[in-house]
Amino acid sequence: MKLSRYLHDSLDALGIGACEYDADMRAVGWNSTFLQFFPEDEGVIYVGEPYGDNLLRFYHGRLAPEELPDIERHVAEGVARHENQTQPFEFIHHGRRLRASSLRAPDGGRVRMWQRLDVESHAETAPELVLPLIDALPFIPDGATILDARESVLAANDAFRRLYDLPRGSPVVGRTLNEIIAWCWRGASPAGAWRAAISNGLRYDGVPFEVELPGQRWLRLIARHSTGGLSFFTHADITVAKRQQMELLEAQEALRRANAALAELAETDGLTGLANRRRFVAGLAEAVALPQPLSLMMIDVDHFKTINDRFGHLVGDACLRAIAEVVAGQVRPASALVARIGGEEFGIVLGGMRLETAHDMAIAIRRSLALMPWHTLHADLSGVTVSIGLCGGEGPLDGTNLHARADEALYVAKRNGRDRIEISSLPGAPLCIAG
């Protein structure tokens, strides 16, 4: 997405500032009027600049020193407005009242446009402007307040008092919304999270924002500014909708966790807790595609059928669990994948590991198995050994060929007497055999 120079010039002629952003919220282009409205961007904004960085510069020039600790919150809310805006809103910047609009492009990007409106004076509010608004307050079903240019309440209706649980007769006029909400939270303040929300709400006309109150209650506020520096706020209780939204999010998260658990079960061997054959095949395919050293270790338990026939399947299963624990304990790299492929066969994908290191690991596995107190599983079980086949190379590799060569080395170990390690090289390299 990129507007033509002609369209940029046309928008300049109409006095409309424009800036384009791609689907990743990075600047693509802008016109001269944009730089007139936002002189802080002159010579600083660049093609590819993240929208969040642009907002950071915008707020650094607007926020008072005491508001700067909340600048990240302001930026996050601004990014959310950029992503979700469907209606124009208004604000004042460098003395200009601007109406901001946003259009989504087919490719997912956005064009933001700013039109200058008549500048309204922030002089003392004239009584003839305030009185009609005050007269209208009782007829508004939601909470409503009128604020002066100093952001103090000039008037409020009864619905406003009820929403904020203000006792009848308690002072409202002359107080700021910050002070009223702080009173609501007396002794249980959530670190003033509402302050940044109100500060932002006072700047943008027509942009809803939320304020949390004690007892898990939420209000949605919308500000409108009028002549003479007046602000008109509506306050609506959205507690039910907010709780439903939170319940929906919690349900979605629970569903995500359940699906993740099911996916984990689908790729986990029920007996040993290791990855199963399905995960092994997928993990090997991922590993061989990477430009890195890679070793594959195949392990088979020697004479396992005899163990099952002589001592029973319960002892056989206990042997497999013990072997799985030893193997997993000796395989340290986080990038390794240890799996029970089926029956008495195990596979280990060792991403980033060369054959020499994998061979040392195979030796450690055999030593650990030799030290196992097998007699604790059955008094007549004196020991359990394994045969190991290794193969490896520098990725990317052919996974099928790598697996076949490691299996070939394993069968060589079986033929050569079992309880040993064999290494098979990929085509073009000499075969190395180690006991």
Side-chain angles (χ1 to χ4, degrees), residues 15-17 33-40 58 62 85 88-101 112-120 203-205 207:
I16 297 174
T33 307
F34 167 81
L35 297 176
Q36 292 175 18
F37 292 163
F38 304 97
E40 64 271 20
F58 173 77
R62 290 173 61 84
Q85 183 179 351
F89 61 85
E90 299 171 12
F91 63 99
I92 295 175
H93 191 58
H94 293 302
R96 301 184 180 97
R97 175 169 289 278
L98 302 176
R99 175 177 290 139
S101 303
R112 296 190 66 78
M113 292 177 287
W114 297 265
Q115 181 181 14
R116 182 175 180 176
L117 306 176
D118 291 335
V119 178
E120 298 170 349
R203 292 185 173 92
Y204 301 106
D205 276 13
V207 180

Side-chain angles (χ1 to χ4, degrees), residues 79-159:
V79 170
R81 279 196 302 274
H82 175 73
E83 290 180 311
N84 303 311
Q85 183 179 351
T86 57
Q87 299 295 323
F89 61 85
E90 299 171 12
F91 63 99
I92 295 175
H93 191 58
H94 293 302
R96 301 184 180 97
R97 175 169 289 278
L98 302 176
R99 175 177 290 139
S101 303
S102 179
L103 298 176
R104 183 177 292 279
D107 62 2
R110 277 190 179 271
V111 180
R112 296 190 66 78
M113 292 177 287
W114 297 265
Q115 181 181 14
R116 182 175 180 176
L117 306 176
D118 291 335
V119 178
E120 298 170 349
S121 168
H122 284 265
E124 287 296 316
T125 305
E128 62 270 19
L129 299 175
V130 178
L131 292 176
L133 290 172
I134 293 177
D135 290 341
L137 290 182
F139 300 97
I140 299 174
D142 290 328
T145 49
I146 302 171
L147 276 60
D148 63 20
R150 291 179 293 274
E151 301 176 6
S152 297
V153 176
L154 285 173
N157 63 3
D158 288 339

Side-chain angles (χ1 to χ4, degrees), residues 127-199:
E128 62 270 19
L129 299 175
V130 178
L131 292 176
L133 290 172
I134 293 177
D135 290 341
L137 290 182
F139 300 97
I140 299 174
D142 290 328
T145 49
I146 302 171
L147 276 60
D148 63 20
R150 291 179 293 274
E151 301 176 6
S152 297
V153 176
L154 285 173
N157 63 3
D158 288 339
F160 171 82
R161 287 181 174 276
R162 289 194 297 271
L163 284 174
Y164 289 90
D165 290 328
L166 298 173
R168 183 168 294 278
S170 62
V172 173
V173 174
R175 302 173 73 182
T176 65
L177 290 178
N178 269 338
E179 292 170 342
I180 292 171
I181 297 174
W183 179 86
C184 293
W185 278 103
R186 54 195 182 279
S189 169
W194 74 82
R195 301 183 194 278
I198 292 177
S199 176

Side-chain angles (χ1 to χ4, degrees), residues 307 311-312 314-323 372-384:
I307 294 174
F311 303 111
L314 290 179
V315 174
D317 287 350
C319 286
L320 292 176
R321 284 193 292 268
I323 292 168
M372 283 286 294
W374 296 105
H375 64 277
T376 60
L377 302 182
H378 193 283
D380 295 329
L381 183 60
S382 58
V384 178

Side-chain angles (χ1 to χ4, degrees), residues 149-418:
R150 291 179 293 274
E151 301 176 6
S152 297
V153 176
L154 285 173
N157 63 3
D158 288 339
F160 171 82
R161 287 181 174 276
R162 289 194 297 271
L163 284 174
Y164 289 90
D165 290 328
L166 298 173
R168 183 168 294 278
S170 62
V172 173
V173 174
R175 302 173 73 182
T176 65
L177 290 178
N178 269 338
E179 292 170 342
I180 292 171
I181 297 174
W183 179 86
C184 293
W185 278 103
R186 54 195 182 279
S189 169
W194 74 82
R195 301 183 194 278
I198 292 177
S199 176
N200 236 356
L202 287 168
R203 292 185 173 92
Y204 301 106
D205 276 13
V207 180
F209 61 93
E210 297 175 2
V211 171
E212 183 181 359
L213 294 180
Q216 290 191 318
R217 294 178 56 229
W218 286 267
L219 303 181
R220 175 170 291 147
L221 280 61
I222 301 178
R224 295 286 182 186
H225 295 81
S226 62
T227 304
L230 288 179
S231 300
F232 180 77
F233 272 75
T234 56
H235 311 247
D237 192 326
I238 59 167
T239 299
V240 173
K242 188 74 174 179
R243 289 176 180 171
Q244 290 174 342
Q245 179 188 38
M246 293 172 66
E247 290 171 359
L248 176 61
L249 291 175
E250 290 172 358
Q252 289 174 338
E253 176 59 21
L255 179 61
R256 186 198 64 78
R257 290 195 300 266
N259 286 336
L262 287 173
E264 181 71 18
L265 285 174
E267 296 186 341
T268 301
D269 175 58
L271 177 65
T272 63
L274 299 178
N276 62 13
R277 183 179 188 87
R278 176 181 175 180
R279 178 70 188 105
F280 171 80
V281 171
L284 180 61
E286 293 169 4
V288 297
L290 300 175
Q292 62 171 2
L294 175 65
S295 296
L296 178 61
M297 185 186 304
M298 303 300 295
I299 302 175
D300 191 83
V301 183
D302 296 329
H303 303 296
F304 185 70
K305 184 177 185 302
T306 301
I307 294 174
N308 270 338
D309 292 344
R310 183 178 176 189
F311 303 111
H313 288 282
L314 290 179
V315 174
D317 287 350
C319 286
L320 292 176
R321 284 193 292 268
I323 292 168
E325 185 175 344
V326 168
V327 173
Q330 292 296 328
V331 178
R332 302 296 183 188
S335 58
L337 174 63
V338 183
R340 180 188 175 208
I341 297 176
E344 65 271 27
E345 188 176 11
F346 299 82
I348 308 174
V349 180
L350 298 164
M353 184 177 293
R354 299 189 185 281
L355 269 176
E356 296 81 3
T357 307
H359 182 254
D360 292 340
M361 185 177 291
I363 292 173
I365 289 172
R366 289 183 62 237
R367 285 175 178 167
S368 295
L369 290 174
L371 296 174
M372 283 286 294
W374 296 105
H375 64 277
T376 60
L377 302 182
H378 193 283
D380 295 329
L381 183 60
S382 58
V384 178
T385 63
V386 297
S387 298
I388 300 177
L390 281 170
C391 189
E394 191 75 27
L397 295 169
D398 182 332
T400 301
N401 189 35
L402 178 67
H403 194 179
R405 292 287 177 169
D407 272 340
E408 178 183 308
L410 174 62
Y411 296 141
V412 171
K414 291 285 189 183
R415 289 196 300 269
N416 287 344
R418 296 182 171 84

